Amino acid sequence: MKILAIETSCDETAIAILEAEGGLKSPEFKVLGNTLVSQIDLHKEFGGVYPNLARREHAKNLVPILLTTLRQAFGESKYGLKPTQEMIEKIEKILTKEPDLYKLFSKEILEIDKPNIDSIAVTTGPGLEPALWVGIVFAEALGVLWDLPVYPVNHMEGHIYSPLLNLKEKLVFPALALLVSGGHTELVYIKNFGEYKIVGKTRDDAVGEAFDKVARLLDLPYPGGPKVSALAELHRSKNLVPTFSLPRPMINSKDLDFSFSGLKTSVLYKLKETGVNENIREEMSHEFEDSAVEVLISKTEQALEKYDTKTLIVAGGVSQNIHLQRELHKLADKFSGLDLLLPEKSLTTDNAVMIGISAYIQISGGKVINKLSTGNPERLKANGNLSF
Ligand code: KG4
Ligand code: ZN
C-alpha cells in the first residue's frame, strides 16, 4: 500500500510517500518521495522555536512540499479533478483557521487528480499544538479531496520505528527504546508492536534541550546540540581530559528516571567562575557530554538488566551523537544476543518517513495508541502532550 505521511510537530515541515508491504511479520518500505523543509535558520534568529511562527511556516510550506513529493513519487501531477461544491465547502470548513493554507490549497491542489495513494498519515502529537494543527487540517482536507482515510500517528512512536526503514531482519521483541530528542528523554519497554510501557523518563529537561541550553550558555547558535558534540569530540581528539567535573544527575537513584536541568545549572555556575572562551567551550562541551551520556548509558543498562530485551532501539535527534553511539555499542556488547538498532542519519531528526512507517504498523494491526482519535478525519485532534 502507498501512504502519504505528513509531519509538522515542531520546526520541520515534512511530507513523504512510502510504499509498504509485508504486514507486521516482515514490514518492508520503499521511499517514493520525501521532502523536508527545516525552519532552523528562521528559529536561529530567536534562539528557539516559537509555536506560532512554526505554524505560519508550515502553512506556507505544506503545499509546495506536497507538490514536490508527488512529483518525486509519480511524476508531474495530472489536473482535471472537479471537486463537488459539497467537498469544497467541507475543505473550506476544515481549513477555516488557516486562511493562507486554504488559499494555496484552492489554487494548487484542488484540481489534482487523486494520486495512487491508499492512506494518509499525520502526526497528532506530542509536539507544539499550533504546529500540529496545521498538519492535521491539511491531512484532513486531502482526505476529503481524495476520499482517503487519515491515520493519526504518535510522533514518538514514529521515532521508535524509524530504524525499520532499512532493517534487513525481523524486529525481535521484547524491545527497549531509548528516545532522546529535544522534547523527550524516555525509556520505553515494547512488548510487541503497539504495546508500550514508559519505564523511565525525564523529570524536567529533555537531554536534547539540555544540549541546546548548554550551547546557548556557551554562546553557540541554535540548535546547539550538534555543535556541543563537535566541540567535545575536538577536545577528546587532542587527548585532553576535563579539569573539572560536573554531576551525573540521578545516576544512583533507584529508578530509571532522568533529570537534566540541574546539570545545565551546574554548567551555568561553572561558567560564572571561568567566563566563556574557546578553551572553556571545548572543555565544558566535553565534560557536559560525558555527564549526559554516562547517565543515559547507565539508566539504559539498568533497564536492560531489569527487563528481558532482545532489541535496543535508540532514536530521536540526540541518537546522532557520536559519543552516545560509541558508548551504546560498548553497552550492547555486554548483553549477549542484544541487537542495537539506530535509524539512518537522515531519520534521526524529525521526518515524515517515520510517520509513514508508524502508520503502516498501525494499519497492519498494531494497537492504535492514539486514544484521542480513531482514524476518522472528523475527529483528529492535536495533543501536544500525547503519550504512550
Ligand atoms: O528529534 P529531534 O529532531 O526533535 C525533537 O523532536 O525534539 O531532536 C532535536 C534535538 C535537538 O535538541 C538537537 O540539539 C539534538 O536533537 N541533537 C543533538 C545532536 N544532533 C541533534 N544533540 C547532541 N548531539 C548531537 N549530535
Ligand atoms: Zn522528534
Side-chain angles (χ1 to χ4, degrees), residues 34-78:
N34 183 20
T35 317
L36 186 146
V37 172
S38 174
Q39 304 174 6
I40 278 184
D41 286 341
L42 181 74
H43 296 295
K44 233 182 214 168
E45 288 175 36
F46 301 94
V49 182
Y50 284 86
N52 273 312
L53 193 59
R55 167 180 158 243
R56 217 180 55 202
E57 287 301 299
H58 291 313
K60 241 192 319 198
N61 294 337
L62 278 166
V63 166
I65 288 184
L66 175 65
L67 293 173
T68 306
T69 315
L70 286 172
R71 194 176 307 124
Q72 291 166 352
F74 310 119
E76 283 307 322
S77 294
K78 294 191 179 52

Side-chain angles (χ1 to χ4, degrees), residues 161-190:
Y161 294 132
S162 57
L164 289 187
L165 179 64
N166 293 315
L167 194 62
K168 296 283 170 287
E169 62 284 1
K170 218 173 129 114
L171 174 56
V172 186
F173 293 104
L176 180 79
L178 171 67
L179 297 176
V180 276
S181 73
H184 286 77
T185 306
E186 280 173 2
L187 280 162
V188 186
Y189 184 68
I190 311 160

